[in-house]
Structures are given as structure tokens and as C-alpha cells.
Amino acid sequence: MADGSLEAFIENVSGDSHLRVEADLGDGFVRLRSAEAERRQAAHDIRSTEDIVIEMLRNARDAHAKSVFAAVSREGGRRRIVMVDDGDGVPPALHERVFEPRVTSKLDTMHLDKWGVHGRGMALYSIAVNAETARIAASDAGLGSSFVVETDLARVGEKADQSSFPVFERTDAGTVAVRGPKNILRTVCEFALECRRDCTVYLGSVTDVVATLYAFGLSSLTAASRAFGRADELPVCKRLALAADPAELAGLAGSLGLALSERSARRVLDGEIAPLSPLLDRVRIGNDAPEPAAPRTAAPRASQDARGLKLAREDLDDFAGRVAAAYRDVAQRYYLEPDVQPEVRVGKDGIRIHIPVSKLR
């Protein structure tokens, strides 16, 4: 009987418990097989969407990426993360194998950072075990990568508040304290701040990231490269700049895992969607940092800047009400929750309005 048939027979008779144990040591102790130990470790390493995001970011950093573009989207109970980088890349023959346990390009190096140990060859495996799908959409040696991960939020949860921007404040001891929910925004902000000397991080919607990648390619490719270049020969981060029309842009974006309609592609080509700024540009340490959205039941508070500019409470309430009314028209057209409470703040250089956005259930 072949080994595979024998294992299948044993599993059918006794269940999978036998195959999970390498040796019974007695007194209730066993030695787990490597595969079972790896599976349990993977379940411990990834407990939320935020865990997946930080592991993908660390993976890009360790691949010597200088620019990382993260597109996050949600549809119903599924979360989709597409991360494009200009790092070392993965040869096509290894696109599937990198998701196996103990597969790593860091034979002689291992990183210990604020998120723990990295370099064991377990990060992508852990993501694949917990996600619904995990794949490399595009990559080759020296050309960077595009990773696509989709999760079921009923299986791998995330913070309920995904819209609040974290607040960074410098303490008396000189350290930086962070306030706000530990959502995807905060996770990526903390990484961008921690690794600011190594790489630049961009975060946004699929359309935002497509516009940014298109501009990124245009800034460095020559006219000849755009006219005669082949997508599979160019760095992944620059391929969208080859698009000559909306259909081609949508097709190139789709090859990177960035699903885009031709209508949105047209808006990108027409310059209607501005490229993203580096996420770190939005991080301010001190009193000017963006604040989390106020609860819907809380009334906007009067704000005052260092020069004494002050808006009365009734003026803030009236202004916020007018903004909310204007937003309701937009919300109805895009199937968003219309009943929101905008937050109006007076800063040193202008009046800031924050409108929390959430889809209708």
C-alpha cells in the first residue's frame, strides 16, 4: 500500500488526531507534528485584519521596498487588501511556494522590531492559512510585487471603527503616544512612522492607489518606454503608466489585483483623481494632529487657535448642520449612511471638516 493511501486509511479510521501527533510521550503529553505546530502558530500570529496588514508591510520592508502602496476596500463581510511595492520581487516559479511554511529569502537575517520577530518564513503562510485567498498578482525578481489578500470578516475580524485617524502626541519623556482605535489607519501610520527612513507608504482606496501608481510611473518612464515597453518587463509599480486609454488602464490595474471600472480609469487619466500623498504627510505630532471623529451624539465643540480665532457654539452647530445636509445628497447617490454628524474644527491655517463615511447595511 502506498504511503499516501496508508495515511488516508488511518485518517478515515481514527480521524486527523493521529496525524497531528508525532509521538505520545505519556501522562497526557505528546509531540506535535511540524505541520500541526505550524498551523497553531499561524492561528496565533493572525487574529485580525490589522495583523495581516502589518505582516504584509513588514514583508515589503524586508524585501528592501522604498515605496509601498496599500489599497484597502470592503464589500459586505469581505475585506480586500492589495499591497504593491518596488522591492526585490518574487520569481514566478515561487509565487505559490512563498505561502508555504518556513519559506523565506532571509537565510542569514532575522528582524526584531516593535511588532516582534520577522524572518522565520511564517508570515505569508500565516496569512494564507487565515485568509480566504492570498496570492501574488504580479511579481518577478528585481521588479517588485503585488500581493492580494481577501478575508472573511466573520472569521478574521477587525476594529469596528475604520475611519478615525490616530492622534500622535509627544510626551514629557520625549516619546510619542498614540490615541485612537487600533484600526488599519493606525497600523499603517505606526509602520510609516517607525520605518520612515526605510520606505514611503501610501494608503487609500483602489482608485486612489491606481491614480498614484499611474503618476508614479509617469514621473520616471520616458516617452519611448511608454510607447514600446512591455508591462512584464517593467517594475510592477510603473506598469500602469503604459496605459493609453481607460480600457488599457483598467486591464493593467486588474493584472495587479486592483479591480477598476473603465469609468474610474477615465477619471484617473483625465486627472480628476489626485495621486495620494505619502501617509506620513498626514501624521502630525502635537496639537495639530487629526483627531478621531466625535460620537454622533456629541455636539461639535467650539475651537480656538493660538491667535484667538473663535467660533461660537451656535455658529459651529449651524455650519455642521449645513454640511450634513449637503452630504446627505452625496450619500444617497453612493449608497452611504446619510445620518452622520460632521466635526468642524478651527485650526491655525483653516477650518477642517471631518465627515465619517460608512456604507449602508
Side-chain angles (χ1 to χ4, degrees):
M1 182 181 290
D3 290 343
S5 300
L6 178 59
E7 288 186 0
F9 172 76
I10 294 173
E11 184 174 357
N12 288 333
V13 173
S14 61
D16 64 356
S17 61
H18 176 82
L19 297 179
R20 288 184 288 147
V21 176
E22 180 179 298
D24 187 341
L25 306 179
D27 294 323
F29 289 85
V30 298
R31 178 182 290 114
L32 293 175
R33 291 185 181 274
S34 295
E36 175 64 13
E38 290 160 355
R39 185 188 66 79
R40 296 188 182 189
Q41 183 64 47
H44 171 78
D45 288 346
I46 301 296
R47 300 183 181 182
S48 66
T49 299
E50 291 80 10
D51 290 339
I52 291 176
V53 169
I54 193 60
E55 291 300 331
M56 294 175 72
L57 288 168
R58 295 167 82 197
N59 201 61
R61 176 204 62 193
D62 292 351
H64 307 106
K66 297 301 181 185
S67 300
V68 182
F69 307 82
V72 294
S73 58
R74 177 177 174 176
E75 185 172 349
R78 295 181 75 91
R79 169 68 70 184
R80 183 179 176 89
I81 306 162
V82 182
M83 200 163 292
V84 184
D85 66 68
D86 60 357
D88 297 335
V90 181
L94 297 176
H95 281 193
E96 295 184 6
R97 303 205 66 175
V98 294
F99 292 99
E100 298 175 1
R102 305 185 306 280
V103 175
T104 180
S105 62
K106 299 175 282 293
L107 177 61
D108 300 316
T109 61
M110 185 174 65
H111 290 277
L112 179 62
D113 55 24
K114 66 177 294 182
W115 300 280
V117 174
H118 206 241
R120 302 170 299 158
M122 296 296 290
L124 291 178
Y125 169 73
S126 297
I127 291 173
V129 166
N130 291 280
E132 298 304 297
T133 61
R135 64 186 178 90
I136 295 178
S139 187
D140 206 342
L143 299 182
S145 304
S146 178
F147 284 82
V148 181
V149 175
E150 291 186 0
T151 64
D152 181 352
L153 295 177
R155 181 182 172 196
V156 180
E158 62 182 29
K159 290 297 180 182
D161 182 359
Q162 289 293 336
S163 61
S164 293
F165 200 91
V167 176
F168 295 81
E169 296 178 343
R170 195 174 300 280
T171 66
D172 294 338
T175 59
V176 177
V178 187
R179 291 191 292 111
K182 294 185 178 180
N183 54 18
I184 295 174
L185 265 171
R186 174 169 168 175
T187 298
V188 183
C189 281
E190 289 180 330
F191 177 87
L193 189 61
E194 183 77 12
C195 303
R196 58 189 180 278
R197 294 182 179 85
D198 299 322
C199 60
T200 302
V201 183
Y202 303 83
L203 174 68
S205 67
V206 170
T207 307
D208 291 334
V209 169
V210 168
T212 307
L213 289 172
Y214 179 71
F216 187 80
L218 287 180
S219 67
S220 57
L221 293 181
T222 64
S225 297
R226 294 187 63 205
F228 304 108
R230 290 178 46 187
D232 57 359
E233 296 177 347
L234 289 175
V236 173
C237 290
K238 301 180 180 181
R239 293 178 182 179
L240 299 193
L242 296 180
D245 55 55
E248 189 173 6
L249 179 60
L252 287 170
S255 70
L256 304 187
L258 297 164
L260 188 75
S261 68
E262 289 192 26
R263 179 182 177 183
S264 295
R266 165 58 66 188
R267 294 180 64 203
V268 171
L269 293 177
D270 289 345
E272 296 180 12
I273 301 175
L276 293 165
S277 298
L279 184 61
L280 202 58
D281 288 355
R282 296 180 59 192
V283 175
R284 297 289 183 271
I285 300 176
N287 294 329
D288 289 336
E291 294 186 359
R296 292 185 179 180
T297 56
R301 63 184 182 276
S303 302
Q304 183 174 356
D305 74 354
R307 296 168 297 176
L309 176 61
K310 182 178 181 180
L311 294 182
R313 176 65 64 87
E314 56 270 21
D315 290 332
L316 280 173
D317 289 344
D318 180 68
F319 185 61
R322 292 172 183 268
V323 172
Y327 176 76
R328 278 194 287 272
D329 294 334
V330 176
Q332 290 175 355
R333 290 197 295 271
Y334 291 90
Y335 305 99
L336 302 174
E337 174 60 56
D339 185 19
V340 300
Q341 179 62 57
E343 181 185 17
V344 181
R345 297 179 62 244
V346 178
K348 295 180 180 179
D349 55 352
I351 297 176
R352 294 178 175 85
I353 303 170
H354 175 80
I355 303 175
V357 176
S358 60
K359 294 182 179 179
L360 287 172
R361 296 291 184 181

